[in-house]
């Protein structure tokens, strides 16, 4: 039996029995962790108050095995809310939908429980802080988070040099399967020709050039979001397929 202490972002909560909850967190040091919070749904219980999606919490875990991923889930034995980011997110529809997509993406990119994912954790906490303060348009914060999440997980898209042959850009064709922009010679079926403004926006979001991103026209923001969404789903679908293959 062992005790662990870590801080993390609550990704989601599920009911368990009459009064308990299963809390899923993306922690700083232990990656994604699921743990049981006992009694949190009793109205008079102060324990676990604030263990809601988007909250940044300091949690003490009590695990029966030698690590956090044993046969039974660890228990949350002490919790302290560090930053209730949800307060600045759930009251605004655009922030809420962007934030929810971030939590789901962070969970999808941390398939293996207990495996440290510190870069993904840092991206998530930074994005939620920015979102809760309303520092930029929610969909821009979301797209920046998605692009950077893809990058830290090994799927960095190219927005300048050809993703296949490396020839220096700008290149006009964009292909999710090829990994970003491609030159005329490397162009494959299914590639599209986005506006140069949309490509420049995605490049700015990936590198953190917020001055450029904030000044973009709405139509280019929408176009860029469509490309990010297509790119993300292509990689997540492949991830799922390879996971099913492994389980067989
Ligand atoms: Zn090429």
């Amino acid at each position: 039996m062992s005790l662990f202490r870590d801080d993390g972002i609550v990704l989601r909560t599920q009911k368990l029995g009459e009064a308990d909850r299963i809390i899923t967190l993306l922690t700083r040091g232990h990656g994604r962790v699921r743990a049981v919070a006992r009694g949190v749904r009793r109205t008079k219980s102060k324990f676990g108050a604030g263990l809601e999606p988007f909250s940044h919490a300091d949690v003490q875990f009590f695990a029966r095995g030698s690590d956090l991923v044993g046969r039974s889930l660890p228990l949350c034995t002490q919790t302290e809310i560090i930053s209730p980011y949800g307060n600045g997110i759930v009251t605004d529809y655009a922030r809420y939908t962007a934030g929810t997509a971030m939590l789901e993406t962070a969970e999808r990119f941390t398939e293996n429980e207990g495996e440290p994912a510190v870069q993904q954790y840092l991206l998530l906490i930074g994005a939620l802080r920015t979102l809760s303060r309303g520092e930029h348009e929610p969909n821009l914060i979301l797209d920046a988070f998605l692009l950077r999440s893809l990058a830290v997980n090994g799927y960095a898209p190219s927005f300048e040099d050809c993703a296949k042959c490396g020839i220096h850009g700008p290149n006009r064709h964009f292909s999710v399967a090829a990994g970003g922009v491609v030159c005329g010679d490397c162009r494959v079926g299914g590639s599209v020709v986005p506006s140069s403004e949309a490509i420049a926006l995605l490049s700015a979001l990936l590198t953190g050039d917020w001055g450029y991103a904030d000044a973009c026209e709405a139509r280019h923001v929408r176009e860029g979001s469509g490309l990010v969404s297509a790119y993300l789903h292509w990689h997540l679908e492949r991830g799922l397929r390879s996971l099913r293959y492994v389980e067989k």
Side-chain angles (χ1 to χ4, degrees):
M1 303 206 180
S2 50
L3 286 170
F4 295 86
R5 192 172 197 105
D6 204 346
D7 67 295
I9 297 285
V10 178
L11 299 179
R12 63 185 169 121
T13 66
Q14 295 154 272
K15 289 180 183 177
L16 178 69
E18 289 293 305
D20 305 340
R21 269 195 186 138
I22 296 175
I23 314 288
T24 303
L25 299 115
L26 179 55
T27 65
R28 186 185 296 269
H30 298 84
R32 185 164 58 83
V33 172
R34 285 183 306 149
V36 173
R38 291 215 190 283
V40 286
R41 285 167 55 219
R42 288 197 191 95
T43 48
K44 284 183 180 169
S45 168
K46 279 186 185 168
F47 171 77
L51 275 182
E52 300 292 340
F54 307 112
S55 285
H56 179 210
D58 181 75
V59 181
Q60 183 169 282
F61 300 97
F62 177 76
R64 266 174 251 272
S66 60
D67 64 76
L68 282 173
V69 192
R71 269 177 304 164
S72 57
L73 293 176
L75 298 176
C76 301
T77 53
Q78 277 180 41
T79 62
E80 187 189 340
I81 302 302
I82 301 168
S83 298
Y85 291 124
N87 291 351
I89 294 175
V90 299
T91 50
D92 179 279
Y93 184 73
R95 290 186 195 179
Y96 176 73
T97 52
T100 301
M102 290 176 192
L103 298 185
E104 286 177 5
T105 303
E107 181 162 2
R108 292 290 298 276
F109 272 125
T110 51
E111 274 175 355
N112 301 319
E113 282 183 71
E115 189 175 293
V118 67
Q119 285 182 299
Q120 186 68 71
Y121 166 82
L122 293 172
L123 280 180
L124 181 63
I125 195 168
L128 292 180
R129 185 185 300 123
T130 306
L131 187 66
S132 70
R133 291 175 181 168
E135 290 174 12
H136 307 284
E137 285 295 319
N139 51 348
L140 287 177
I141 301 168
L142 171 61
D143 285 344
F145 170 78
L146 297 178
L147 287 169
R148 294 172 192 180
S149 295
L150 284 156
V152 300
N153 286 286
Y155 307 115
S158 171
F159 296 120
E160 182 75 27
D161 299 342
C162 174
K164 283 188 121 177
C165 72
I167 196 168
H168 193 59
N171 289 290
R172 294 174 56 227
H173 305 278
F174 183 89
S175 162
V176 290
V181 293
V182 287
C183 69
D185 292 337
C186 296
R187 169 165 73 104
V188 291
S191 49
V192 293
V193 182
S195 67
S196 57
E197 291 91 343
I199 293 292
L201 167 62
L202 299 187
S203 180
L205 290 175
L206 185 58
T207 56
D209 183 353
W210 284 104
Y212 184 92
D214 288 338
C216 266
E217 286 180 41
R219 62 195 170 112
H220 297 133
V221 172
R222 274 197 302 276
E223 189 185 0
S225 288
L227 296 174
V228 172
S229 177
Y231 194 79
L232 176 75
H233 283 108
W234 195 83
H235 283 289
L236 288 180
E237 281 296 308
R238 275 171 55 90
L240 273 186
R241 251 183 249 132
S242 59
L243 187 68
R244 276 205 295 271
Y245 181 74
V246 169
E247 282 170 350
K248 277 175 195 166

